[in-house]
């Protein structure tokens, strides 16, 4: 769950600092990708829908056997609710998530010819699919520079002032407005990886941080 920020929101980092920071991210990882495992647009959609309040590692464990036999909405409907529930029972909120996946599969078959639609609005009509899930799918499989703001990106965006904002939608807009266009496509992955492994919530690892000299966060660790 991402908490909104109540304090005054500072100005975003200037252009030159944004270029310097993302150049370093790109140097360290030229082709960042999601850590969720998937086979196509549909399986990524399912994996992201399952990942709410769960780790990517946990989702990957549960979907390994599932995606070996299911890669289309029609196949998911043929598998059925009971078998799907059994496949994902190690993931939090699995009963509700299984219902959503069956319902979204039915909607894809009935309204989109069994294909995953390529628009945010259409994706967000699917059961269990919010703006963040839609943006991950648009970015990772349709190569659209959509910014899916999760708890990591919200924290990193505000600490570093790459994209400060009071809530997730403000941070999403701040990334779109401030991150140079050439870095937009991969910004989502670079910021998630940075938040997950370096700028961690309880104790940021400032000593090993590749952008320490550019980061204005006042409570850096020694
Ligand atoms: S210097 Fe510290 S607070 Fe700033 S981005 Fe790096 S890890 Fe995060």
């Amino acid at each position: 769950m991402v908490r909104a920020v109540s304090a005054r929101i500072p100005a975003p980092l200037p252009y030159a600092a944004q270029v310097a920071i993302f150049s370093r991210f790109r140097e360290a990882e030229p082709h960042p990708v999601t850590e969720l495992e998937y086979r196509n647009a549909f399986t990524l959609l399912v994996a992201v829908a399952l990942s709410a309040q769960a780790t990517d590692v946990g989702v990957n464990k549960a979907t390994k056997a599932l995606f070996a036999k299911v890669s289309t909405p029609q196949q998911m409907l043929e598998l059925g609710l009971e078998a799907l529930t059994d496949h994902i029972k190690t993931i939090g909120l699995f009963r509700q998530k299984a219902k959503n996946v069956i319902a979204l599969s039915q909607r894809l078959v009935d309204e989109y010819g069994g294909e995953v639609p390529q628009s945010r609005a259409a994706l967000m009509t699917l059961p269990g699919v919010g703006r963040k899930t839609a943006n991950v799918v648009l970015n990772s499989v349709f190569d659209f520079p959509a910014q899916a703001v999760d708890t990591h990106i919200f924290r990193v965006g505000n600490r570093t002032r790459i994209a400060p904002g009071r809530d997730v939608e403000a941070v999403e807009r701040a990334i779109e407005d401030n991150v140079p266009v050439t870095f937009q496509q991969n910004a989502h992955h670079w910021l998630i990886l940075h938040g997950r492994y370096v700028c961690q919530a309880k104790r940021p690892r400032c000593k090993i941080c590749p952008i320490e000299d550019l980061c204005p966060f006042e409570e850096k660790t020694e």
Side-chain angles (χ1 to χ4, degrees):
M1 171 116 173
V2 181
R3 289 184 206 289
V5 168
S6 57
R8 194 180 63 82
I9 301 298
L13 286 181
Y15 180 79
Q18 302 269 359
V19 171
I21 285 174
F22 282 95
S23 297
R24 288 187 200 173
F25 286 156
R26 181 170 60 188
E27 201 176 324
E29 179 52 84
H31 305 293
V33 290
T34 175
E35 294 185 315
L36 285 170
E37 288 166 10
Y38 63 98
R39 293 171 59 187
N40 54 19
F42 174 67
T43 49
L44 179 63
L45 178 62
V46 172
V48 180
L50 296 179
S51 71
Q53 295 177 48
T55 65
D56 287 0
V57 173
V59 172
N60 290 341
K61 264 190 199 159
T63 56
K64 194 175 176 66
L66 175 66
F67 293 163
K69 52 176 128 166
V70 171
S71 62
T72 67
Q74 187 61 48
Q75 289 170 348
M76 190 65 84
L77 294 177
E78 285 160 13
L79 180 74
L81 179 61
E82 199 176 321
L84 172 60
T85 304
D86 194 52
H87 269 288
I88 65 167
K89 65 188 176 204
T90 54
I91 302 176
L93 309 175
F94 65 98
R95 289 186 203 285
Q96 186 55 46
K97 288 176 180 174
K99 283 184 194 157
N100 284 341
V101 169
I102 293 295
L104 75 82
S105 299
Q106 189 70 59
R107 181 81 66 87
L108 290 176
V109 168
D110 292 346
E111 293 182 25
Y112 297 99
E115 301 289 327
V116 175
Q118 300 187 22
S119 89
R120 186 183 289 127
L123 284 164
M124 287 175 65
T125 66
L126 300 171
V129 176
R131 189 177 182 90
K132 180 166 77 83
T133 298
N135 282 345
V136 172
V137 172
L138 291 174
N139 183 296
S140 294
V141 291
F142 297 131
D143 294 333
F144 180 77
Q147 306 301 332
V149 178
D150 71 349
T151 183
H152 298 299
I153 295 183
F154 184 75
R155 180 177 68 253
V156 171
N158 275 295
R159 275 182 183 168
T160 60
R161 289 183 21 218
I162 288 171
R166 210 171 286 287
D167 53 35
V168 291
E169 292 197 5
V171 170
E172 181 182 325
R173 279 196 305 279
I175 295 172
E176 290 169 352
D177 289 349
N178 294 287
V179 175
V181 167
T182 189
F183 301 112
Q184 287 274 338
Q185 179 67 46
N186 289 323
H188 160 73
H189 291 122
W190 281 320
L191 292 171
I192 278 195
L193 293 172
H194 189 66
R196 211 173 258 175
Y197 299 110
V198 181
C199 194
Q200 294 172 336
K202 286 196 180 139
R203 190 170 166 78
R205 304 173 70 196
C206 303
K207 262 190 181 166
I208 61 141
C209 178
I211 59 167
E212 194 274 337
D213 57 318
L214 298 163
C215 170
F217 188 51
E218 287 175 1
E219 297 158 51
K220 288 182 189 168
T221 56
E222 292 300 318

